[in-house]
């Protein structure tokens, strides 16, 4: 655990600013309909085309805890907002630490790991629904990615894209999406001075234009 104490005369650093960063770990975040899945996929394809070894992954995962979360998101099962915060954190812990295919193991093998959503989703969604401080504490043990891509799309535009898909989940209402948007702004502000690189990108452009912008922002040198 990193010490929070500062040398005399220096500005005190918060725990969010001193958290460790995982080189080669790249995360896409945004509201529902903002395009995180599409952009993560396009980024992975471009990395692979350049010959890099890349693992594409997502949260919630497709493991047992992730499947339970999906059941609640679809409305088939029930859980309180606090329980969801615990479930997302437990799923994240498994996702990072699984000795075979966990994020840490894959990074250790010298692969890039590109992830569709991570702890910033918990801060934005569960933070808005059951208290930012509670969710921040639950997620305090998790390291930060090297790059965080935030696809900035307001809730109305995101919900219109979702409608076209024809299925909906419990967080996909205008009120929740508006609150979550502010949750993301609050979360990003908290990490402004961290060593993680934050790329704040307009999510309303065409997918190809966004992909180009993401690529130009993240200067990737092979890590193996
Ligand atoms: P997806 O539709 O992008 O796969 O994400 C599933 C939903 O889960 C989406 O509404 C965002 C939400 N979510 C949280 O509320 N907290 C989290 O920690 C994560 C990873 C996702």
């Amino acid at each position: 655990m990193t010490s929070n104490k500062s040398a005399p005369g220096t500005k005190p650093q918060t725990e969010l600013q001193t958290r460790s960063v995982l080189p080669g770990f790249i995360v896409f975040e945004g509201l529902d309909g903002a395009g995180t899945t599409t952009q993560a996929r396009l980024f992975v394809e471009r990395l692979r085309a350049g010959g890099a070894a890349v693992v594409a992954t997502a949260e919630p995962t497709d493991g047992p805890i992730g499947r339970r979360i999906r059941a609640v998101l679809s409305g088939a099962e029930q859980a309180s907002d606090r329980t969801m915060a615990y479930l997302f954190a437990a799923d994240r812990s498994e996702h990072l630490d699984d000795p075979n295919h966990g994020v840490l193991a894959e990074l250790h093998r010298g692969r890039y790991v590109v992830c569709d959503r991570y702890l910033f989703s918990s801060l934005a969604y569960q933070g808005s629904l059951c208290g930012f401080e509670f969710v921040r504490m639950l997620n305090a043990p998790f390291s930060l990615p090297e790059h965080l891509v935030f696809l900035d799309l307001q809730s109305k535009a995101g919900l219109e894209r979702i409608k076209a898909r024809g299925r909906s989940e419990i967080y996909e209402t205008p009120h929740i999406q508006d609150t979550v948007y502010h949750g993301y702004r609050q979360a990003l502000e908290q990490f402004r001075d961290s060593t993680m690189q934050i790329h704040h990108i307009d999510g309303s452009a065409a997918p190809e234009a966004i992909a180009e912008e993401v690529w130009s922002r993240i200067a990737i040198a092979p890590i193996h």
Side-chain angles (χ1 to χ4, degrees):
M1 188 121 195
T2 320
S3 166
N4 221 5
K5 294 211 178 86
S6 306
T10 60
K11 205 169 140 207
Q13 288 198 303
T14 66
E15 160 269 321
L16 291 175
Q17 292 162 348
T18 56
R19 228 192 270 198
S20 65
V21 163
L22 298 169
F25 187 30
I26 298 140
V27 166
F28 286 76
E29 289 278 0
L31 290 186
D32 290 274
T36 59
T37 307
T38 303
Q39 291 305 323
R41 179 178 53 77
L42 292 172
F43 189 72
V44 165
E45 285 172 5
R46 195 150 175 184
L47 272 177
R48 285 193 179 137
V54 191
V55 174
T57 187
E59 291 186 5
T61 68
D62 54 11
I65 306 169
R67 289 200 298 273
R68 170 97 172 89
I69 292 171
R70 290 266 175 220
V72 179
L73 291 175
S74 71
E77 291 180 21
Q78 307 275 304
S80 73
D81 292 333
R82 279 174 81 90
T83 300
M84 285 300 270
Y86 286 120
L87 285 172
F88 277 114
D91 188 44
R92 182 158 304 127
S93 180
E94 289 290 301
H95 189 207
L96 285 167
D97 294 342
D98 182 284
N100 299 315
H101 298 293
V103 172
L104 298 179
E106 297 291 12
L107 290 171
H108 192 67
R109 289 184 189 113
R111 296 175 180 153
Y112 291 108
V113 177
V114 177
C115 189
D116 180 4
R117 298 192 179 281
Y118 185 54
L119 63 83
F120 314 96
S121 285
S122 282
L123 293 172
Y125 285 76
Q126 283 65 53
S128 315
L129 294 164
C130 56
F132 189 84
E133 199 46 34
F134 166 68
V135 179
R136 188 194 65 75
M137 273 169 46
L138 263 186
N139 284 274
F142 304 126
S143 299
L144 300 176
E146 182 180 5
H147 295 278
L148 164 61
V149 178
F150 175 61
L151 301 171
D152 192 335
L153 188 72
Q154 301 269 341
S155 65
K156 196 161 172 280
L159 285 170
E160 269 160 26
R161 283 188 190 166
I162 292 166
K163 222 191 290 166
R165 281 185 214 152
R167 62 171 177 87
S168 79
E169 294 183 337
I170 55 169
Y171 299 146
E172 293 170 356
T173 70
H175 175 68
I176 293 181
Q177 294 293 310
D178 277 345
T179 320
V180 170
Y181 184 79
H182 292 289
Y184 265 122
R185 302 301 291 242
Q186 182 182 2
L188 294 184
E189 178 60 25
Q190 296 262 337
F191 288 99
R192 201 167 46 121
D193 298 328
S194 79
T195 47
M196 165 180 71
Q197 294 186 46
I198 301 176
H199 309 281
H200 195 133
I201 288 177
D202 177 4
S204 65
E208 298 71 25
I210 298 174
E212 202 54 44
E213 172 77 8
V214 171
W215 190 256
S216 71
R217 296 270 198 110
I218 306 180
I220 296 274
I223 53 172
H224 67 283

